[in-house]
Amino acid sequence: MIEHYMTEMGGYRDRVAQVDLGGGEVSYRGIDDDDAEKYIGARGLGVKYVFDKGPDVDPLGPENRLAFMTGPLTGTQTVMSGRIALVTKSPLTGTVTDSHHGGWSGARLKWAGLDGILLDGESDEPVYLFVEDGDVEVRDASHLWGKGVHDTIDQLGEEVEGKVGRDVSVMAIGQGGENEVRYGCVINEDDRASGRGGTGAVMGSKNVKAVVVKSGTDMPKPADPETFQEGYQQAMEVIRESDVTAPNEGGLSMYGTNVLMNATEEMDGLPTKNAKHTSTEAYSEADGVDVQAERVSGENVRENILVDEPTCHSCPVACKKEVEVDVTHKGEEMNVRMESYEYESAWALGPNSGHDDRDEIAVMLDRCNDLGIDTIEAGNMMAMAMEMSEEGKLEGVGHLDWGDSETMIDLIDEIGHRSSDLGDLLAEGPERVADAKDAHGNKLSVKGQTMAAYDPRCMKGMGIAYATSNRGACHLRGYTPAAEILGIPEKVDPYEWEGKGELTATFQDLHAVSDSFDICKFSAFAEGIEEYVLQYNGMTGRDLSEDDLFEAGERVYNLERYYNNLAGFDGADDTLPNRFIEGHPDAIPGTGASEGELVELDQLKAEYYETRDWVDGVVPDEKLEALGIDIGPGTGVSAGDSAAPADD
Amino acid sequence: MIEHYMTEMGGYRDRVAQVDLGGGEVSYRGIDDDDAEKYIGARGLGVKYVFDKGPDVDPLGPENRLAFMTGPLTGTQTVMSGRIALVTKSPLTGTVTDSHHGGWSGARLKWAGLDGILLDGESDEPVYLFVEDGDVEVRDASHLWGKGVHDTIDQLGEEVEGKVGRDVSVMAIGQGGENEVRYGCVINEDDRASGRGGTGAVMGSKNVKAVVVKSGTDMPKPADPETFQEGYQQAMEVIRESDVTAPNEGGLSMYGTNVLMNATEEMDGLPTKNAKHTSTEAYSEADGVDVQAERVSGENVRENILVDEPTCHSCPVACKKEVEVDVTHKGEEMNVRMESYEYESAWALGPNSGHDDRDEIAVMLDRCNDLGIDTIEAGNMMAMAMEMSEEGKLEGVGHLDWGDSETMIDLIDEIGHRSSDLGDLLAEGPERVADAKDAHGNKLSVKGQTMAAYDPRCMKGMGIAYATSNRGACHLRGYTPAAEILGIPEKVDPYEWEGKGELTATFQDLHAVSDSFDICKFSAFAEGIEEYVLQYNGMTGRDLSEDDLFEAGERVYNLERYYNNLAGFDGADDTLPNRFIEGHPDAIPGTGASEGELVELDQLKAEYYETRDWVDGVVPDEKLEALGIDIGPGTGVSAGDSAAPADD
């Protein structure tokens, strides 16, 4: 056991609850010290625990495991440490996936005496879990089934006689998860989502409506305060000095993630109209419309509809931007206040869907959150549907015009409830829609998950990051825009492909560390491995070097890839939407500053695989051994095997 | 015992060491729960423990006690919580005094397993104390006696085989304390001083050269993380939003305390030439000299000689301004790098002594720190000497011209070593010099301690604050410039006397709270009692209301005053230097914006005493009872007694 698991009374307790939903039994286990050192916690340990159930399980079947895992830094005073990872086999991608809540729920779970909860099996009836003083109780939730997230959270707060957001956290699913929308997510009381990959659908498949945590006093303290404080001060210093994170000064603190809307538009890196264009300007010129990214930008939001800037646990940045809008929708006046207007969400539901109605986007975001469906996936699925509709591929199912934001608002409900043919279809995610409707050319997905608001034709690092992300296309698994847009740790030419394979692998490993801590990866806008290792060693009393910690991140990334390899994924799956690939017959080159640009996928993959020591996307047994990954049967691939060409 | 004193192993330990220096024995005691609730910690508890030895002791005799006390928030994650109070009966004033170190030494003492150390008696030979794992060892220090602070710290770091400033703290005296300069202070490895009141002289009188702390792992954790985190976030938010404290943005963060030099000069509130003038401009005009406050201002320092901005434990502001200067002194080239160029120190050694040589001031500051003497007192004593010299009152002792900075540099050495007649005289402090040389009209002191860089003719609150400070004239016991200059919590007219008695009492009580926590009082530039109570309750698990906490501050202030009353102080001692008092024959009115201004002392005292429920500066027994102060014999004064007129 590692040091901070020691309890107030000087003993050790088993702080991971394992819930057998079929039998309703709860057992408790400790965290093996060797596992903790190898996989850190949260994301890393969660993947390990999901791996323990085997990679061949049906994501929506009882044999899949859903792990709620905090990390060794969650809920501590470490900067930006209010996070918890949800890890499972994704019903959207078939890969292992992890998705994290911000806010305070991870911290509260830790303070309530638990490091994690593993959900196994499937309950016959709807239930919710109630956590208090380190114990988990399985309670009836029949009366909550069918309710939206916000009502569910309110009602559960009353039932457990606590004050939600004060001493109670609720992580709940809405109708999206209940109906197994493949990108159903889990939302907590801070409107923060484990957004991607369908963790809410898995929870719904298990008939679990919510996890309710009554906060306690088990806040970990540093085993080595000197080292911890050194790391903490250093972290705060670099955060204060960063143009991105400096409180009330940096772009992220002032405008939230949506500070990037104008920036990407200006560099012709904003995928628009299902990524047919690389800016709203190009889209407007080509189609004779008037869509402007600026109208949905962070600056515009701040000036016009901002009402509050709440923070997550232990965060000085406060990137959340709470907004309030008045919208008339089909004659009905609505007032909507919602907690965060994020860049990627606004992009997917706005410019990428062909419009720039700032306030309607806020309504859509709120609906997605209440239904518990991923905002990025929902927006991209509607953009895909628009393109398919234009090409006649939706006949008999429905119709959707570019930029029809009014219809989008209702369609979100239909997706969450699966209440129309079109909604039911789009609830299946891009890969299944493409299969059903011969629409592979219309999807913006990799491994079944759609990309985010960073155009890879303009940022080549993002191209290889989307292609090789272990959870399907994702901007957060290797956030190269840090270097390609923001110049962190140093500015690199976004259009240059060379070096981006290596850069991406580095970011992937660094993020695997922060996701396993579990601290916000926005820390990496200012902090580096130096600040990470000081805070980690200080809190746990371990004595890892920077290299050790980086290697742990690499180990986590390889463990995921290994899981995926055993689940049937190889280099052929490390690809991109056709329109981005250099040499592809359906390629659509960028315009403006990105004029003629496409992604040099083959070159990038070759460099990336070489950096990773992988053989065509597969982790060879030698690499597993070198990293000390000693679970599972191995891939059977040797480092000596020649790389097969990628099969697109 | 309060909750956070519980040890890792679930037991309680007695965390206050009591060192009998005569016998060399160390015993350990706990903190009585009732005392902790009443007097909080640090300053408050320290005063109580000093009170236990009786108010009649000789400050430099073995019966005086020197308490090193941390508070319940010291060394925790509370914002700005790296502080420790040194409390004793002052050899400068004869009152009880408390003076605090910033930096990390308080935090390290806590982490090493102690909440405080009480030094009693007197050692025959020089010793130092070594603290490790909650134990105190008394060790020989004969080889260190006679050394300066910086050498002492370096050598002790080597002796205990630790890295100073990393896992070792040293709080040491220099020759000033050894030679019982009445304003000898204690300096730690961050060049932070328990500057005022002569704590170093008391330590020297006990033959204790240093307290060396080997840091440990006993970092307190919050008993109620929810409440603590709420307070912490709120504190960080208001600090970020304050024009004064906002990291890398606010005046204090950018320019340190010395941000006030230009501000006070411009408002004609900078006492100049031993406070004969209220600005350097007026001084220059009157005397035909060219002395400009701007040349020693924080802005000027930042632009020209700043080399680093280190922080204290858990502080986002980083007000320390480390400087490096090259100075030629009497033909010798010197390079001096020192850790902090403070406003009040620069003022006393610069404009108030009649010059503006920025770099020579840095040299003086460094000498004071190495000798371990208070920079404010040293500067003011030299200014007093200049005025006395001009008036012929130093005949036979020495001579000193206004603004002779070159001589000042050497005179500082002579004070610390008591190695010349003049140095030996000035080492005695203003009251004794005034007695010896019939120079009461030349002193800038109240109760034997000189004032700081805020002219009370321009800030009437500062007038009543100097007059009623329990440790002698002091800007930090009721920091009214927050309201009078900076507009915190709201801007008040600095020239108006009405309301200032009440304002001063409020600041005095609020600072008594933060000094007892022990957190930096600069927190009050942004935080209020609301943030204080959340962090305090969260850390300790207590459930005090804002009123309870304010009352605890009031109780501490009254306990000090009660001690002083028993030591012979009453309303007659609540006075001001003659030149500031309205109606006094030696009054010198202000000029410029402060034209004609003097301090309405009588009116201010009447209002203040009414606010305090005091009778002519004495705490009546009814007030002691109302506050639950149940130690000592009482003052014998009843609230019904009529106030006697102040006897000046």
Side-chain angles (χ1 to χ4, degrees):
Chain A
M1 297 302 127
I2 65 175
E3 187 149 0
H4 73 271
Y5 294 132
M6 193 144 96
T7 68
E8 194 76 20
M9 299 317 294
Y12 292 104
R13 67 186 300 165
D14 292 334
R15 293 177 53 108
V16 178
Q18 194 168 333
V19 183
D20 171 12
L21 292 161
E25 286 139 29
V26 183
S27 57
Y28 298 86
R29 53 193 278 180
I31 293 172
D32 181 78
D33 194 44
D34 189 50
D35 287 345
E37 180 144 355
K38 274 187 177 164
Y39 303 116
I40 306 176
R43 174 175 166 187
L45 268 180
V47 171
K48 199 265 173 193
Y49 293 151
V50 169
F51 204 135
D52 288 342
K53 303 289 285 185
D56 292 324
V57 299
D58 171 8
L60 296 175
E63 60 280 9
N64 192 14
R65 168 172 278 174
L66 175 60
F68 287 69
M69 284 299 298
T70 68
L73 302 189
T74 301
T76 70
Q77 204 65 42
T78 309
V79 185
M80 308 190 190
S81 62
R83 295 179 75 82
I84 182 170
L86 273 64
V87 189
T88 193
K89 183 170 183 178
S90 164
L92 186 67
T93 63
T95 66
V96 68
T97 194
D98 64 294
S99 189
H100 304 243
H101 286 256
W104 297 69
S105 43
R108 292 209 179 95
L109 182 64
K110 181 84 89 169
W111 302 344
L114 288 185
D115 291 324
I117 304 175
L118 309 180
L119 300 187
D120 291 334
E122 194 176 299
S123 170
D124 289 338
E125 301 296 327
V127 293
Y128 74 90
L129 305 186
F130 178 62
V131 182
E132 188 173 29
D133 292 337
D135 290 323
V136 178
E137 196 185 320
V138 182
R139 293 182 173 180
D140 177 55
S142 309
H143 57 301
L144 299 167
W145 208 252
K147 285 191 188 298
V149 165
H150 298 125
D151 280 352
T152 300
I153 290 173
D154 289 346
Q155 195 162 334
L156 281 169
E158 281 175 32
E159 279 185 40
V160 304
E161 293 173 359
K163 205 174 151 208
V164 172
R166 180 65 188 76
D167 62 351
V168 169
S169 265
V170 181
M171 295 175 273
I173 61 170
Q175 300 89 344
E178 292 179 10
N179 295 322
E180 298 181 4
V181 174
R182 286 187 181 269
Y183 42 93
C185 63
V186 186
I187 303 270
N188 70 13
E189 71 279 4
D190 296 299
D191 245 19
R192 305 276 78 187
S194 58
R196 310 222 68 188
T199 53
V202 174
M203 196 154 142
S205 78
K206 297 185 176 306
N207 263 321
V208 177
K209 182 69 179 172
V211 175
V212 183
V213 180
K214 194 88 175 261
S215 191
T217 65
D218 273 0
M219 187 188 201
K221 64 175 219 177
D224 173 358
E226 286 287 340
T227 304
F228 178 76
Q229 284 302 319
E230 193 184 338
Y232 176 82
Q233 292 284 18
Q234 207 168 302
M236 288 294 275
E237 195 177 326
V238 292
I239 284 168
R240 282 197 309 267
E241 285 169 1
S242 153
D243 290 342
V244 178
T245 57
N248 293 342
E249 200 183 337
L252 184 65
S253 185
M254 289 296 283
Y255 306 109
T257 52
N258 204 11
V259 67
L260 288 169
M261 187 68 77
N262 285 337
T264 50
E265 166 78 9
E266 276 159 31
M267 65 194 284
D268 294 287
L270 184 72
T272 304
K273 195 187 177 193
N274 205 36
K276 279 196 164 170
H277 303 282
T278 51
S279 69
T280 54
E281 190 185 352
Y283 166 44
S284 297
E285 263 182 40
D287 288 23
V289 294
D290 176 24
V291 174
Q292 294 180 33
E294 192 285 324
R295 293 182 188 139
V296 297
S297 68
E299 289 84 344
N300 191 306
V301 165
R302 183 172 189 95
E303 194 178 329
N304 294 294
I305 56 172
L306 186 74
V307 287
D308 200 5
E309 301 178 85
T311 64
C312 301
H313 166 75
S314 207
C315 177
V317 178
C319 77
K320 281 174 82 180
K321 301 302 157 205
E322 191 167 344
V323 300
E324 186 170 4
V325 297
D326 290 300
V327 167
T328 305
H329 178 63
K330 297 190 171 165
E332 190 195 344
E333 288 182 12
M334 293 186 300
N335 172 274
V336 169
R337 183 176 173 132
M338 59 90 51
E339 280 215 31
S340 204
Y341 199 105
E342 303 293 342
Y343 169 52
E344 293 81 3
S345 308
W347 159 80
L349 294 160
N352 201 44
S353 297
H355 76 98
D356 60 12
D357 192 312
R358 184 193 65 211
D359 296 354
E360 284 187 323
I361 288 172
V363 175
M364 292 183 212
L365 292 172
D366 189 54
R367 293 220 170 177
C368 285
N369 284 357
D370 196 50
L371 292 161
I373 61 175
D374 179 16
T375 50
I376 298 178
E377 212 67 48
N380 285 338
M381 288 312 299
M382 292 191 279
M384 182 180 179
M386 289 168 186
E387 191 173 293
M388 290 168 64
S389 187
E390 190 177 42
E391 294 177 10
K393 291 179 181 171
L394 280 189
E395 267 171 36
V397 185
H399 176 84
L400 192 60
D401 289 327
W402 287 111
D404 181 359
S405 52
E406 191 161 49
T407 300
M408 287 175 76
I409 290 176
D410 295 329
L411 182 51
I412 287 170
D413 278 326
E414 294 163 26
I415 292 171
H417 291 282
R418 289 182 178 267
S419 57
S420 70
D421 288 347
L422 182 56
D424 190 40
L425 177 71
L426 300 184
E428 287 297 294
E431 196 63 29
R432 286 170 180 81
V433 171
D435 283 344
K437 299 291 175 187
D438 193 20
H440 285 275
N442 306 107
K443 71 184 186 195
L444 288 191
S445 61
V446 181
K447 301 186 186 74
Q449 178 167 287
T450 57
M451 58 179 271
Y454 307 84
D455 200 303
R457 289 166 296 205
C458 170
M459 294 159 244
K460 303 303 169 66
M462 207 71 263
I464 186 66
Y466 287 147
T468 61
S469 159
N470 285 328
R471 70 170 191 176
C474 168
H475 60 298
L476 289 171
R477 286 298 159 281
Y479 191 71
T480 64
E484 296 182 294
I485 304 180
L486 302 167
I488 298 166
E490 55 187 357
K491 187 85 170 82
V492 296
D493 178 359
Y495 295 107
E496 174 63 53
W497 70 264
E498 226 174 329
K500 294 296 173 62
E502 201 178 329
L503 181 77
T504 296
T506 301
F507 272 113
Q508 286 171 340
D509 293 346
L510 188 71
H511 297 334
V513 171
S514 54
D515 283 345
S516 300
F517 272 174
D518 186 342
I519 63 171
C520 181
K521 61 168 58 69
F522 293 170
S523 59
F525 287 133
E527 297 178 58
I529 196 76
E530 192 181 339
E531 288 76 23
Y532 284 180
V533 80
L534 285 169
Q535 292 180 90
Y536 174 76
N537 283 345
M539 189 54 64
T540 61
R542 293 182 190 275
D543 189 26
L544 266 56
S545 68
E546 293 177 11
D547 287 347
D548 293 339
L549 196 59
F550 233 123
E551 190 182 65
E554 187 188 3
R555 188 179 298 113
V556 169
Y557 209 83
N558 276 268
L559 182 72
E560 293 169 347
R561 173 57 59 136
Y562 173 35
Y563 178 107
N564 290 348
N565 292 152
L566 295 180
F569 291 85
D570 63 20
D573 302 295
D574 290 340
T575 183
L576 282 174
N578 297 343
R579 62 194 57 183
F580 300 138
I581 304 173
E582 188 179 67
H584 196 286
D586 298 338
I588 306 173
T591 57
S594 302
E595 179 72 41
E597 292 287 344
L598 288 165
V599 183
E600 299 84 348
L601 184 62
D602 289 339
Q603 294 96 311
L604 280 161
K605 282 175 70 175
E607 184 189 289
Y608 177 84
Y609 289 157
E610 196 184 335
T611 304
R612 283 278 181 216
D613 305 317
W614 290 352
V615 178
D616 190 30
V618 177
V619 189
D621 291 339
E622 292 87 343
K623 185 72 182 176
L624 294 174
E625 199 182 335
L627 290 169
I629 297 174
D630 51 8
I631 51 179
T635 57
V637 170
S638 164
D641 298 349
S642 65
D647 166 24
D648 286 330
Chain B
M1 299 299 125
I2 66 177
E3 187 148 2
H4 72 272
Y5 295 132
M6 194 145 94
T7 68
E8 194 76 21
M9 300 318 293
Y12 293 105
R13 66 184 303 166
D14 291 334
R15 292 177 52 109
V16 178
Q18 194 167 334
V19 183
D20 170 11
L21 291 161
E25 284 139 29
V26 183
S27 57
Y28 298 87
R29 54 192 277 182
I31 293 172
D32 180 79
D33 194 42
D34 188 48
D35 288 344
E37 180 145 353
K38 273 188 177 162
Y39 304 115
I40 307 177
R43 173 175 167 187
L45 267 180
V47 172
K48 200 266 173 194
Y49 293 152
V50 169
F51 204 135
D52 288 343
K53 302 290 284 185
D56 292 324
V57 300
D58 170 9
L60 296 175
E63 60 280 10
N64 192 14
R65 168 171 279 174
L66 176 60
F68 287 69
M69 285 299 299
T70 67
L73 302 189
T74 301
T76 69
Q77 204 65 42
T78 308
V79 184
M80 308 190 191
S81 62
R83 295 179 77 81
I84 182 169
L86 273 63
V87 188
T88 194
K89 183 170 183 179
S90 164
L92 187 67
T93 63
T95 66
V96 68
T97 194
D98 65 294
S99 189
H100 304 242
H101 285 255
W104 297 69
S105 42
R108 291 207 180 97
L109 183 65
K110 181 85 92 172
W111 304 343
L114 288 184
D115 291 324
I117 304 175
L118 309 180
L119 300 188
D120 291 334
E122 193 177 299
S123 171
D124 290 337
E125 300 296 327
V127 295
Y128 75 89
L129 306 185
F130 178 61
V131 182
E132 188 172 28
D133 292 337
D135 290 323
V136 176
E137 196 185 319
V138 182
R139 293 184 175 180
D140 177 55
S142 309
H143 57 302
L144 299 167
W145 208 252
K147 285 191 188 296
V149 165
H150 298 126
D151 281 352
T152 301
I153 290 173
D154 288 348
Q155 194 162 333
L156 280 169
E158 280 173 32
E159 279 186 39
V160 304
E161 293 174 358
K163 206 175 151 210
V164 172
R166 180 64 189 76
D167 61 353
V168 168
S169 266
V170 181
M171 294 175 274
I173 60 169
Q175 300 90 343
E178 292 180 9
N179 296 321
E180 298 182 2
V181 172
R182 286 187 182 268
Y183 42 92
C185 62
V186 186
I187 302 269
N188 70 13
E189 72 280 2
D190 296 300
D191 244 18
R192 305 276 79 188
S194 57
R196 310 222 68 190
T199 54
V202 175
M203 196 155 142
S205 77
K206 295 183 178 306
N207 264 320
V208 177
K209 183 68 180 172
V211 175
V212 183
V213 180
K214 194 89 176 259
S215 191
T217 65
D218 272 0
M219 187 189 200
K221 63 176 223 178
D224 173 359
E226 287 287 341
T227 303
F228 178 75
Q229 284 302 319
E230 194 184 337
Y232 175 82
Q233 291 283 18
Q234 208 168 301
M236 288 295 274
E237 196 176 325
V238 292
I239 284 167
R240 282 197 310 268
E241 286 170 1
S242 153
D243 290 342
V244 178
T245 57
N248 294 342
E249 201 183 335
L252 184 65
S253 185
M254 289 297 283
Y255 306 108
T257 51
N258 204 11
V259 66
L260 289 169
M261 187 68 77
N262 285 336
T264 50
E265 166 77 9
E266 277 158 31
M267 65 194 285
D268 293 288
L270 184 71
T272 304
K273 197 189 177 192
N274 204 36
K276 281 197 164 171
H277 302 282
T278 51
S279 70
T280 55
E281 190 185 350
Y283 167 43
S284 298
E285 263 181 44
D287 289 22
V289 294
D290 177 24
V291 174
Q292 294 180 31
E294 192 285 324
R295 294 185 186 135
V296 297
S297 67
E299 290 82 345
N300 191 305
V301 165
R302 184 173 188 94
E303 194 177 329
N304 294 296
I305 56 172
L306 186 75
V307 288
D308 201 4
E309 302 178 85
T311 64
C312 300
H313 166 75
S314 207
C315 176
V317 178
C319 77
K320 280 173 82 179
K321 301 301 156 205
E322 192 167 343
V323 300
E324 187 170 5
V325 297
D326 291 300
V327 168
T328 304
H329 178 62
K330 298 190 172 166
E332 190 195 344
E333 288 183 9
M334 294 185 299
N335 173 274
V336 168
R337 183 175 174 133
M338 59 90 51
E339 280 215 31
S340 204
Y341 199 104
E342 303 294 341
Y343 167 53
E344 292 81 4
S345 309
W347 159 79
L349 294 160
N352 200 46
S353 299
H355 75 99
D356 61 10
D357 193 312
R358 183 193 66 211
D359 295 355
E360 285 186 323
I361 289 173
V363 175
M364 293 182 214
L365 292 172
D366 189 54
R367 292 219 171 178
C368 286
N369 285 357
D370 196 49
L371 292 161
I373 60 174
D374 179 16
T375 50
I376 298 177
E377 212 67 49
N380 286 338
M381 287 314 298
M382 292 190 280
M384 182 180 180
M386 289 167 187
E387 193 174 292
M388 289 167 65
S389 187
E390 190 176 41
E391 295 178 7
K393 293 180 181 169
L394 279 189
E395 266 171 37
V397 185
H399 177 84
L400 193 60
D401 287 327
W402 287 111
D404 181 359
S405 52
E406 193 161 49
T407 300
M408 288 176 75
I409 291 176
D410 295 329
L411 183 51
I412 287 171
D413 278 327
E414 294 162 26
I415 293 172
H417 291 281
R418 288 183 179 266
S419 57
S420 70
D421 288 346
L422 183 56
D424 191 40
L425 178 70
L426 299 184
E428 287 297 295
E431 196 62 27
R432 286 171 180 79
V433 170
D435 283 344
K437 298 291 175 187
D438 192 19
H440 285 276
N442 306 107
K443 72 185 187 194
L444 288 190
S445 60
V446 181
K447 300 185 187 76
Q449 177 167 285
T450 55
M451 57 178 274
Y454 306 84
D455 200 302
R457 290 166 294 205
C458 170
M459 295 159 242
K460 303 303 170 66
M462 206 73 264
I464 186 68
Y466 287 148
T468 61
S469 159
N470 285 328
R471 69 170 192 176
C474 168
H475 59 299
L476 289 171
R477 285 299 158 280
Y479 192 72
T480 63
E484 297 183 295
I485 305 182
L486 301 166
I488 298 164
E490 55 188 358
K491 186 86 171 82
V492 295
D493 178 359
Y495 295 107
E496 173 63 52
W497 70 264
E498 225 174 330
K500 293 295 172 59
E502 199 178 333
L503 181 77
T504 296
T506 303
F507 272 114
Q508 286 171 339
D509 294 346
L510 188 71
H511 298 333
V513 171
S514 54
D515 283 344
S516 300
F517 271 175
D518 185 341
I519 64 172
C520 181
K521 62 169 57 70
F522 293 170
S523 59
F525 287 134
E527 298 178 57
I529 196 75
E530 190 181 340
E531 287 76 23
Y532 284 180
V533 80
L534 286 168
Q535 291 179 91
Y536 174 75
N537 283 344
M539 189 55 64
T540 62
R542 293 183 191 275
D543 189 25
L544 265 55
S545 68
E546 294 177 12
D547 287 346
D548 292 339
L549 195 60
F550 234 123
E551 190 182 65
E554 187 188 2
R555 188 179 298 113
V556 169
Y557 208 81
N558 276 269
L559 183 72
E560 294 170 345
R561 171 58 59 136
Y562 172 35
Y563 178 105
N564 291 348
N565 292 151
L566 296 180
F569 292 84
D570 63 19
D573 302 295
D574 290 340
T575 183
L576 282 175
N578 297 343
R579 63 194 57 184
F580 301 138
I581 304 173
E582 189 179 64
H584 197 285
D586 299 336
I588 306 173
T591 56
S594 302
E595 180 71 39
E597 292 287 345
L598 287 164
V599 182
E600 299 84 348
L601 184 62
D602 290 339
Q603 294 96 313
L604 280 161
K605 281 175 70 173
E607 184 190 287
Y608 178 83
Y609 289 157
E610 194 183 337
T611 305
R612 282 278 180 218
D613 306 316
W614 289 353
V615 178
D616 190 29
V618 177
V619 189
D621 291 340
E622 292 86 343
K623 184 73 181 177
L624 294 174
E625 197 181 338
L627 290 168
I629 296 174
D630 52 7
I631 51 178
T635 56
V637 170
S638 163
D641 298 348
S642 65
D647 166 25
D648 282 332

